[in-house]
Amino acid sequence: TRRAQSPGETPIIPPELKPHLRKDAFVFFPQGHRLFFDATRFSPISAAKLLRDIFSNTAIQKQFGEVDVHVETSSEAIERIMAMHRLASIELFISMPNPDDNEDEQRVMDRLGGIGAHKVDEKYTARRGGSITPDEELDTRMKVARSNGYVKAVGYSEDETRAEICTKKHPLRSTIYYQPDDESVMDVLVREGRRLLRQITGK
């Protein structure tokens, strides 16, 4: 109403209007189904929650079905899992990958589609005192879960110190410096987004 609120007056805010509106830049690549944004403005977890809330809308689900949202995670987490001295257990969660991602994801998608499944939740446990040695198939599944779910592992160091690593806690981030006089935030997001997309999908 563009007028000062009277003391004690309860503000009436229509549901379609939100106070403290803030605009943030992002770029979405349909080929690859990845969205990139400035993570100094809000966290990857907050972004994922926002998108899940949007996609839970009945009208959207009716038209497009269930839409999964995952935070892309860093390859460093998988590398740390593979470097564990004794790998006691590995837990994988994978939801149906997108059809235009890399070959590994295409294989998993074909298998899930072939058996009529949408998600995979599996756990591998070593014998007491033993260690899991991931083969090529498990390595592939871990890479797919990194982008389309999560990987959680429990392992031990040489002195038997227990450690737990989950890819959920390691979102993919990239620190970029730029000159605002030379390019905009959107320019940087498009340029860096394309680079990261090639790194993620191998395309």
Side-chain angles (χ1 to χ4, degrees):
T1 60
R2 298 185 181 275
R3 66 173 179 81
Q5 182 178 317
S6 303
E9 181 183 1
T10 301
I12 299 174
I13 303 174
E16 71 273 12
L17 299 179
K18 302 296 181 184
H20 309 299
L21 174 66
R22 190 181 75 187
K23 295 182 179 181
D24 289 293
F26 67 89
V27 59
F28 178 72
F29 295 95
Q31 189 73 15
H33 295 87
R34 296 306 196 284
L35 183 144
F36 299 92
F37 60 93
D38 182 355
T40 63
R41 303 282 289 167
F42 56 101
S43 73
I45 292 174
S46 296
K49 183 181 183 305
L50 172 64
L51 291 172
R52 288 189 188 108
D53 288 346
I54 291 171
F55 297 146
S56 66
N57 181 279
T58 305
I60 290 177
Q61 290 197 344
K62 186 176 180 180
Q63 183 174 353
F64 300 103
E66 183 179 358
V67 180
D68 293 322
V69 178
H70 299 287
V71 174
E72 187 72 41
T73 57
S74 169
S75 60
E76 179 189 358
I78 298 293
E79 291 166 6
R80 287 178 58 198
I81 290 172
M82 299 298 282
M84 284 179 161
H85 176 69
R86 182 163 69 83
L87 192 51
S89 68
I90 298 175
E91 183 180 336
L92 299 174
F93 175 80
I94 303 172
S95 62
M96 181 74 85
N98 293 309
D100 57 357
D101 289 345
N102 60 44
E103 290 182 12
D104 291 340
E105 292 178 333
Q106 184 68 47
R107 280 174 48 205
V108 171
M109 188 192 75
D110 290 344
R111 181 170 182 271
L112 289 178
I115 62 175
H118 181 70
K119 297 178 181 178
V120 175
D121 192 355
E122 54 190 16
K123 186 173 182 179
Y124 301 84
T125 305
R127 287 192 177 97
R128 184 180 294 275
S131 180
I132 296 171
T133 304
D135 58 8
E136 185 178 347
E137 180 61 28
L138 182 52
D139 185 54
T140 297
R141 285 173 178 261
M142 289 172 67
K143 288 177 180 175
V144 173
R146 186 190 124 197
S147 293
N148 302 278
Y150 66 84
V151 180
K152 184 165 70 175
V154 174
Y156 296 85
S157 63
E158 291 186 52
D159 63 359
E160 287 299 295
T161 301
R162 185 182 185 277
E164 184 176 306
I165 300 172
C166 183
T167 56
K168 283 182 180 180
K169 298 179 180 178
H170 300 273
L172 177 63
R173 293 175 182 266
S174 181
T175 302
I176 304 299
Y177 298 96
Y178 73 102
Q179 293 293 336
D181 294 338
D182 298 332
E183 56 184 345
S184 67
V185 172
M186 185 58 73
D187 293 333
V188 175
L189 283 172
V190 171
R191 172 168 50 80
E192 188 63 12
R194 284 179 176 148
R195 184 187 71 79
L196 288 172
L197 187 61
R198 287 193 298 271
Q199 176 184 312
I200 293 165
T201 64
K203 294 182 179 180

